[in-house]
Amino acid sequence: MDKKSEKHNKAMQKQKERVSATMAKATQDQSVVVLLTGNGKGKTSSAFGMAIRALGYGQQVAIIQFIKGVQKSGEELFFLEHLKDVPLYQMGTGFTWDTQDRDGDMAAAKITWDHAKNALSNPKYDLVILDELTYMLSYQYLDEQSVVDVIIARPSHQNVVITGRGGGSRLREIADTVSEIKEIKHAYNQGIMAKKGIDF
Ligand code: ATP
Ligand code: MG
């Protein structure tokens, strides 16, 4: 074996030992809250990826989206057309900076949160996705503590995925997994139009 291969094999062996050691320690089987935040692209698309993972195992999934609704994204079109059994509720007032109607937005947020609360109290659901929830908290359309209380009180087997930039400190505290997606660059900032199938 040449030196390069030997070095590679040694590194792989070490990596394997590290992974095995971590796996041996992760013995608790409990549900999780995943928070996907940060300015980079990939939060909502990752959440839908997890929805598909869960559906692959025959799990029940509910999706509640707190901002989008004017233009349907590809994943929404796919779910509405091919996965009709998966409840997908959208706030449907469009982007907040377009509507400039705080009272209307707040009322819509509360109705949407009622749908989320229903899912978060229904043991039928194995996974609840709260897409763009963080903005409802940062605009103070919803009370952070009440939201956190409902998430904590959910059925014990139910997983939750929350997306959106920011995400208050309480959400970060109660989440078991928090990923901050960092923007290195985005095509949009180089003047490239949002792409069907990639951006929406
Ligand atoms: P995606 O839906 O692609 O996973 P996201 O959920 O991480 O993105 P959002 O902040 O919800 O990001 O924005 C949704 C839309 O804005 C997508 O079309 C996405 O490509 C675009 N976008 C996300 N991050 C950036 C960025 N840093 N600069 C410009 N556009 C962005
Ligand atoms: Mg998003």
Side-chain angles (χ1 to χ4, degrees):
M1 197 187 305
D2 64 25
K3 272 222 158 100
K4 216 171 169 187
S5 301
E6 206 175 306
K7 206 173 158 196
H8 175 79
N9 286 355
K10 264 194 181 155
M12 284 294 129
Q13 183 57 33
K14 270 207 165 147
Q15 173 73 359
K16 196 178 155 201
E17 282 162 15
R18 270 196 296 266
V19 171
S20 302
T22 313
M23 275 170 70
K25 273 193 220 156
T27 53
Q28 293 178 59
D29 186 11
Q30 61 177 64
S31 66
V32 291
V33 175
V34 177
L35 172 64
L36 302 172
T37 187
N39 295 337
K41 169 183 162 50
K43 300 175 287 295
T44 298
S45 41
S46 167
F48 274 83
M50 281 179 267
I52 289 168
R53 281 191 170 165
L55 291 166
Y57 290 108
Q59 295 185 8
Q60 298 289 320
V61 178
I63 302 171
I64 296 102
Q65 298 193 291
F66 282 86
I67 287 194
K68 311 288 165 61
V70 167
Q71 156 139 47
K72 293 236 180 299
S73 62
E75 64 270 25
E76 288 151 24
L77 293 172
F78 184 82
F79 271 68
L80 295 172
E81 170 80 18
H82 299 288
L83 297 170
K84 290 193 187 77
D85 296 341
V86 178
L88 192 158
Y89 182 82
Q90 299 169 324
M91 195 160 83
T93 52
F95 287 97
T96 320
W97 45 93
D98 277 347
T99 60
Q100 294 177 6
D101 171 12
R102 193 165 195 278
D103 291 345
D105 282 351
M106 204 183 261
K110 295 223 151 76
I111 295 168
T112 312
W113 176 238
D114 282 341
H115 285 269
K117 273 199 289 195
N118 284 340
L120 290 164
S121 64
N122 190 341
K124 170 180 160 183
Y125 295 115
D126 302 295
L127 172 62
V128 177
I129 291 179
L130 305 170
D131 187 35
E132 320 293 349
L133 172 71
T134 59
Y135 304 99
M136 303 300 102
L137 307 180
S138 46
Y139 299 150
Q140 299 183 332
Y141 289 174
L142 299 175
D143 175 58
E144 186 180 42
Q145 191 57 50
S146 319
V147 166
V148 163
D149 288 346
V150 171
I151 294 170
I152 289 173
R154 74 192 186 281
S156 60
H157 70 283
Q158 191 178 78
N159 299 312
V160 178
V161 176
I162 301 165
T163 82
R165 296 175 194 202
S169 52
R170 285 290 290 129
L171 268 191
R172 287 180 187 221
E173 261 170 52
I174 63 147
D176 303 285
T177 296
V178 180
S179 291
E180 184 166 24
I181 300 184
K182 182 176 172 224
E183 184 194 304
I184 305 296
K185 55 177 167 173
H186 193 289
Y188 188 72
N189 297 324
Q190 295 145 63
I192 302 171
M193 283 166 71
K195 308 254 5 133
K196 198 179 257 184
I198 296 289
D199 292 303
F200 62 93

